[in-house]
Amino acid sequence: MHTVVVGTSGVTASDVLAVARAGARVELSDEAVAALAAARDIVDALAAKPEPVYGVSTGFGALATRHISPELRGRLQRNIVRSHAAGMGPRVEREVVRALMFLRLKTVCSGRTGVRPEVAQTMADVLNAGITPVVHEYGSLGCSGDLAPLSHCALTLMGEGDAEGPDGTVRPAGELLAEHRITPVELREKEGLALLNGTDGMLGMLVMALADLDTLYKSADVTAALTMEALLGTDKVLAPELHAIRPHPGQAASAANMLAVLDGSGLTGHHQDDAPRVQDAYSVRCAPQVAGAGRDTMAHAGLVAERELASAVDNPVVLPDGRVESNGNFHGAPVAYVLDFLAVAVADLGSIAERRTDRLLDKNRSHGLPPFLADDAGVDSGLMIAQYTQAALVGELKRLAVPASADSIPSSAMQEDHVSMGWSAARKLRTAVDNLARVIAVELYAATRAIQLREGLTPAPASRAVIDAVRAAGVQGPGPDRYLSPDLAAADAFVRAGHLVTAAETVTGPLR
């Protein structure tokens, strides 16, 4: 099994995906263990002094003014974990929790938190054992970090609360630790706070969303090309020289992808109308501009994620010169903003795909295709209600595009009076990404059927490869009305798994 070694300088997006989704093992580097020990020596030295140090010998948040005596500090650290493990609602997905734990371990291994090496090793052991703490949907305001979700993870390290075992069964965490011979941690000064105070949940969800969207944006380029072909549109608008004079990288990439898919088509520009079209509708002609803007948004979000993956987010932090200083680096604004920005781009990509689908189904705008792509219109309804479903999904995407980060709610007796809501932004983006895959699947279903209804005209080789692959995956072609949900589910699975992109690439080579 692949192993990810965690050092002091952060991790990569591929590391996060390997641990969260592929179950990769985690190991601590010798460098990380040494850094952990050195930082802990600093914390222990400060703990022995009479002067109060936030998080070491004081309370937290609005209670930070109380100096805590040495005999109560272990209890203080246990109590912050127990009291902050206050999440409610449905369980969060296993991959999200694994990303959350792994990214917290990444910060701990930076040597900036003051956590002992044995605590970090226990975090790695829990991940490697396939134990997944039960984390709930609601509880994080994204400041100070993802407190409640991380607290539920820390609770498992203490052998308390509930967790899911490698067999998928939820049981008391203490039982699972004992079965895997993992000793529960006894928290010392600062350690409880250090396990809770980060943007790890929202960051993990951002990394996974970017990976999924990389596939979905390529998929959207393919379906846009198929629709252009089915509508007998012109691919002249995809010429590289047109996109060079408006040099947005994402736009050029999307146009190049569409052009590659349409290479060799016998449908594009083959107008059946009495009067040839001068221009295609915006949803067809402007597909690269809209998808390209989303791609550029992803590039910016990826840069934010890369910076955050290299960060040590905690409060207070242990600095190289030995100081332990309070700070505001736990605020989730940088991550929250791009999560919200991505939700806007996803909604717009879904919206333009739905408009293309509607055009394929409307006999007044489809340039010779039967109404609703029906076999016997009137007796058959064709894909009429598939488009309704797609429209409902797009409506939901638009609601999910409302930014969470603009909705700060003060907490902690006004000590934490401006919060990021980044966790909420991440949660709604996950839903949006799921729905975008479904929207693209409906366009794929309609476009492939429409191309097959263009009798006597030869589609591009890449289009033919897509049609063959999607039919082999159980998505049926033209014919009388039938139960549509299984077809749509199969198309969704085909898109989500990346098979649409793979099928096109068998002809085009790697898409951008």
Side-chain angles (χ1 to χ4, degrees):
M1 181 180 288
H2 177 59
T3 298
V4 173
V5 178
V6 185
T8 60
S9 57
V11 297
T12 66
S14 61
D15 291 336
V16 177
L17 295 171
V19 173
R21 290 182 164 172
R25 288 186 58 79
V26 177
E27 292 183 1
L28 311 185
S29 71
D30 292 341
E31 174 195 30
V33 173
L36 284 159
R40 185 66 209 180
D41 288 344
I42 293 171
V43 170
D44 286 342
L46 289 171
K49 293 182 177 181
E51 297 84 9
V53 178
Y54 176 70
V56 176
S57 53
T58 71
F60 311 113
L63 304 176
T65 54
R66 178 176 172 180
H67 183 263
I68 307 299
S69 59
E71 66 273 13
L72 293 177
R73 290 174 189 170
R75 178 179 163 192
L76 169 70
Q77 300 299 323
R78 291 191 300 274
N79 283 350
I80 189 175
V81 173
R82 290 167 176 162
S83 65
H84 285 44
M88 296 181 71
R91 284 179 57 197
V92 170
E93 303 84 0
R94 182 176 185 271
E95 67 177 15
V96 172
V97 180
R98 285 184 63 81
L100 175 72
M101 290 193 294
F102 175 66
L103 287 168
R104 196 68 214 141
L105 176 60
K106 173 267 298 182
T107 283
V108 165
C109 286
S110 69
R112 297 284 170 261
T113 69
V115 168
R116 288 169 294 152
E118 50 264 47
V119 176
Q121 185 58 57
T122 301
M123 297 171 76
D125 291 343
V126 168
L127 282 165
N128 292 339
I131 297 171
T132 307
V134 170
V135 173
H136 299 280
E137 179 81 15
Y138 303 105
S140 173
L141 299 178
C143 192
S144 302
D146 294 317
L147 286 174
L150 283 163
S151 297
H152 283 277
C153 293
L155 201 64
T156 294
L157 299 178
M158 292 165 50
E160 300 181 17
D162 293 325
E164 180 185 288
D167 63 353
T169 303
V170 174
R171 296 167 52 196
E175 292 181 10
L176 289 168
L177 294 186
E179 280 186 10
H180 290 84
R181 299 182 180 180
I182 299 172
T183 303
V185 297
E186 291 285 343
L187 297 176
R188 289 171 47 181
E189 290 94 343
K190 195 183 179 302
E191 290 181 332
L193 183 61
L195 294 175
L196 316 185
N197 214 344
T199 56
D200 309 289
M202 63 183 90
L203 175 58
M205 286 185 274
L206 172 60
V207 169
M208 289 185 284
L210 286 170
D212 294 338
L213 288 172
D214 180 67
T215 297
L216 291 180
Y217 267 80
K218 292 175 185 175
S219 299
D221 290 340
V222 175
T223 58
L226 294 174
T227 297
M228 177 181 280
E229 198 170 22
L231 292 171
L232 309 177
T234 175
D235 59 1
K236 290 182 179 180
V237 296
L238 304 175
E241 56 270 26
L242 292 175
H243 299 278
I245 61 176
R246 194 187 191 197
H248 293 289
Q251 176 180 324
S254 286
N257 285 346
M258 290 180 65
L259 202 57
V261 171
L262 292 171
D263 186 37
S265 174
L267 281 80
T268 52
H270 190 103
H271 305 310
Q272 286 188 344
D273 306 87
D274 292 336
R277 273 169 281 159
V278 176
Q279 295 178 329
D280 290 309
Y282 282 12
S283 60
V284 177
R285 189 182 357 145
C286 300
Q289 284 78 8
V290 173
R295 285 168 168 271
D296 291 341
T297 301
M298 288 170 56
H300 170 61
L303 179 60
V304 171
E306 183 179 334
R307 290 168 176 163
E308 200 76 1
L309 288 168
S311 300
V313 177
D314 193 16
N315 179 46
V317 291
V318 181
L319 294 173
D321 62 6
R323 287 180 295 146
V324 176
E325 295 286 359
S326 293
N327 66 91
N329 284 343
F330 50 74
H331 200 288
V335 182
Y337 290 169
V338 294
L339 288 163
D340 279 335
F341 199 174
L342 286 171
V344 172
V346 164
D348 204 33
L349 187 65
S351 180
I352 197 171
E354 184 276 329
R355 286 294 80 204
R356 288 192 297 264
T357 305
D358 181 66
R359 185 165 289 271
L360 287 167
L361 272 54
D362 183 353
K363 70 180 182 64
N364 296 310
R365 294 179 291 141
S366 66
H367 308 287
L369 290 168
F372 303 106
L373 306 180
D375 186 63
D376 184 3
V379 174
D380 293 314
S381 295
L383 305 190
M384 179 191 296
I385 307 305
Q387 185 269 328
Y388 281 32
T389 299
Q390 191 187 41
L393 289 163
V394 170
E396 179 71 3
L397 287 176
K398 292 175 181 178
R399 291 185 288 274
L400 292 166
V402 176
S405 57
D407 189 25
S408 174
I409 298 179
S411 56
S412 191
M414 294 300 287
Q415 175 71 8
E416 299 173 9
D417 59 352
H418 185 274
V419 297
S420 78
M421 303 303 285
W423 174 273
S424 299
R427 296 305 296 165
K428 68 185 183 67
L429 178 60
R430 278 182 71 85
T431 302
V433 170
D434 277 347
N435 284 349
L436 177 62
R438 298 181 180 108
V439 169
I440 293 171
V442 176
E443 184 181 15
L444 172 67
Y445 190 39
T448 54
R449 176 183 283 211
I451 288 173
Q452 288 187 286
L453 289 171
R454 295 290 191 189
E455 296 180 359
L457 298 176
T458 304
S463 302
R464 183 74 260 169
V466 167
I467 292 170
D468 290 345
V470 78
R471 297 290 174 257
V475 182
Q476 299 184 52
D481 279 357
R482 57 182 169 268
Y483 178 26
L484 278 187
S485 282
D487 272 5
L488 296 175
D492 178 33
F494 186 78
V495 169
R496 202 177 295 268
H499 296 328
L500 171 56
V501 174
T502 300
E505 287 181 335
T506 61
V507 175
T508 65
L511 295 174
R512 294 166 60 180

